Amino acid sequence: MASHRRPRTPLLSPASRRGAVGFTTAAIASATLLSQGPAQASPEDDRPSIEEVRERVDALYREAGSATQKYNAAKEKTDEQREKVDRLLDEAAERADKLNDARRKLGGYATAQYRTGGVSGTAVLLLSDNPQDFFGQKHLMDRITDRQRQAVDDYRDEQRAARKKRSEASASLAELTDAQKDLADSKKTVQGKLAQARELLSELTAEEKARLAAAERKRQEEARRKAAAAAAERERQAAEAEREEQAEAPADSGTDTGTGGTDTGTGGGTGDDSYAAKADKVLAFAEAQLGKPYVWGATGPNSYDCSGLTQAAWLSAGVSLPRTTYDQVEAGTRIAKADMRPGDLVFFYDDISHVGIYAGGGQMIHAPKPGAEVRYESVDHMPFHSAVRPA
């Protein structure tokens, strides 16, 4: 009986077996990956970092600050234009009253002439019982005729004046409409920027908000440290310059009763003393506002934007500043950063969209941005533009 044997599988060498196993493992892995489809990115990978959020929020606040100054300018123009319109409308009403008076006067003459029937002077003479009375009446009629002519001239003058005032009032109303549109556009821009900033911040977790606040505090502390170092260096240089000046001075100069080397002003005269007195009032006012919130478009007394604070502070010293940073930067004498004195206005950014009050020692008092309060801060906290000493 024949035996039936199953064919033997050819034996594989160890190397071949390892290759087969590797191929099989790779094929299984490939099949698994294909079955899962393309890899999906985690939503966390698309979220901006804390630093990116901070930079974007700061940029939005800056843009809102710039738009706030445009809003302030538009509001000021709107208020001025509204006052002009009211004045012109009052003047137009007065002219209308005068025109009506002239019209009534002219109408009275016309009515009187109608009542006499328009009879000629010759007919009156022929029908008169007493010619002498006629000549007396003729003189009176001549005078009345002169008055009639004057009444016509007055009427025409008042008519032209009334027409002119109505035209001026209409043009002023058109300007007011344009100013109101600019005001609304600026307001919409500010609110849009702030809404974007709030939306970015609202997407942060509580832990991220805490980290962002800590980063902001760290940044402020670094700015204060730099300001203190810069102020100390300026004081050191000033003291060194004073020592050199004293060393070079004649021996008898110590008896001089003139302006001594301790004067820190720019001229040591009465003008400097007057400015210092005003600056003291300005800083006292600004310090009294510390802790009050920044609100765009606000001029006090409960909240301020940056130029609203500087305007109110200098008004407390009897000096009227314009409303916007763009105008305030032209409201005095430009001062080098190294020569700033307390009370000077410090402007920031290329578009001059922020201003503070220099308080000395590299520090200023300002209304920073939405969500912040009036506070001390380093003048190195933002890009310096210029400094101005109000006139």
Side-chain angles (χ1 to χ4, degrees):
M1 185 174 181
S3 62
H4 298 279
R5 296 181 178 180
R6 295 175 61 186
R8 295 182 63 184
T9 301
L11 293 175
L12 296 177
S13 66
S16 298
R17 285 198 299 271
R18 285 195 300 270
V21 172
F23 174 79
T24 304
T25 303
I28 294 172
S30 299
T32 303
L33 288 173
L34 289 172
S35 67
Q36 292 176 347
Q40 299 294 323
S42 171
E44 296 294 329
D45 295 338
D46 296 334
R47 294 188 62 194
S49 67
I50 293 293
E51 184 62 22
E52 289 172 336
V53 171
R54 183 191 66 77
E55 290 178 355
R56 183 57 185 147
V57 168
D58 283 351
L60 286 168
Y61 280 156
R62 264 206 62 208
E63 292 166 8
S66 181
T68 295
Q69 294 306 313
K70 293 178 181 178
Y71 169 86
N72 291 339
K75 185 176 186 304
E76 189 174 43
K77 182 178 180 181
T78 299
D79 293 343
E80 292 174 353
Q81 198 62 37
R82 185 177 290 110
E83 291 178 2
K84 183 179 179 180
V85 167
D86 291 343
R87 185 177 68 253
L88 286 172
L89 289 175
D90 289 342
E91 292 175 358
E94 291 175 4
R95 283 296 177 183
D97 289 341
K98 292 181 179 180
L99 178 62
N100 291 333
D101 290 341
R103 184 184 289 114
R104 283 192 292 269
K105 188 175 182 180
L106 190 61
Y109 286 124
T111 300
Q113 186 175 8
Y114 174 79
R115 285 174 178 170
T116 62
V119 180
S120 68
T122 303
V124 173
L125 174 62
L126 293 174
L127 296 173
S128 175
D129 295 333
N130 188 340
Q132 186 62 37
D133 290 343
F134 164 76
F135 286 111
Q137 292 175 2
K138 178 68 169 57
H139 177 69
L140 179 61
M141 290 301 295
D142 288 341
R143 291 180 60 190
I144 292 176
T145 301
D146 290 339
R147 291 176 181 174
Q148 287 177 326
R149 283 195 293 269
Q150 184 62 47
V152 171
D153 291 341
D154 290 345
Y155 174 78
R156 289 174 178 170
D157 290 342
E158 293 300 337
Q159 192 177 41
R160 282 192 294 269
R163 190 182 299 116
K164 181 180 179 182
K165 285 300 177 185
R166 282 196 298 268
S167 178
E168 290 177 0
S170 296
S172 190
L173 278 169
E175 290 182 20
L176 176 60
T177 301
D178 291 341
Q180 288 173 327
K181 182 180 181 302
D182 291 342
L183 182 65
D185 290 344
S186 298
K187 181 176 181 179
K188 184 177 179 181
T189 300
V190 174
Q191 291 176 330
K193 299 294 183 184
L194 296 181
Q196 291 180 55
R198 284 194 297 270
E199 184 177 356
L200 280 172
L201 292 173
S202 68
E203 294 173 355
L204 298 178
T205 65
E207 187 270 338
E208 288 172 331
K209 290 178 181 178
R211 285 167 53 195
L212 184 62
E216 176 69 12
R217 288 193 297 270
K218 182 178 179 182
R219 188 171 58 154
Q220 291 180 18
E221 182 58 37
E222 179 64 16
R224 281 192 290 268
R225 186 191 65 76
K226 290 181 179 179
E233 177 60 19
R234 285 194 294 269
E235 290 178 1
R236 186 193 67 77
Q237 292 176 355
E240 183 177 349
E242 183 178 355
R243 286 194 299 271
E244 292 177 355
E245 183 180 352
Q246 290 176 349
E248 295 175 358
D252 60 348
S253 62
T255 59
D256 186 9
T257 58
T259 56
T262 58
D263 181 14
T264 58
T266 58
T270 304
D272 288 340
D273 295 339
S274 175
Y275 182 80
K278 290 179 181 178
D280 286 344
K281 293 180 181 179
V282 170
L283 288 172
F285 179 92
E287 288 174 347
Q289 313 315 308
L290 292 171
K292 293 185 178 180
Y294 173 102
V295 174
W296 66 272
T299 57
N302 299 319
S303 57
Y304 298 89
D305 64 18
C306 64
S307 57
L309 175 64
T310 53
Q311 184 186 49
W314 268 98
L315 186 60
S316 71
V319 177
S320 296
L321 292 180
R323 176 65 180 94
T324 69
T325 54
Y326 314 130
D327 293 326
Q328 288 183 8
V329 76
E330 303 296 336
T333 305
R334 292 288 180 101
I335 302 296
K337 186 177 182 181
D339 296 331
M340 289 191 305
R341 295 173 57 191
D344 291 346
L345 301 178
V346 195
F347 297 89
F348 301 92
Y349 301 112
D350 291 339
D351 60 355
I352 322 175
S353 57
H354 193 74
V355 63
I357 303 169
Y358 187 61
Q363 299 286 306
M364 66 176 171
I365 299 176
H366 71 144
K369 59 186 178 181
E373 300 171 339
V374 176
R375 66 192 184 197
Y376 279 99
E377 195 131 58
S378 165
V379 294
D380 297 320
H381 188 63
M382 293 170 283
F384 177 85
H385 177 274
S386 57
V388 167
R389 188 161 298 159

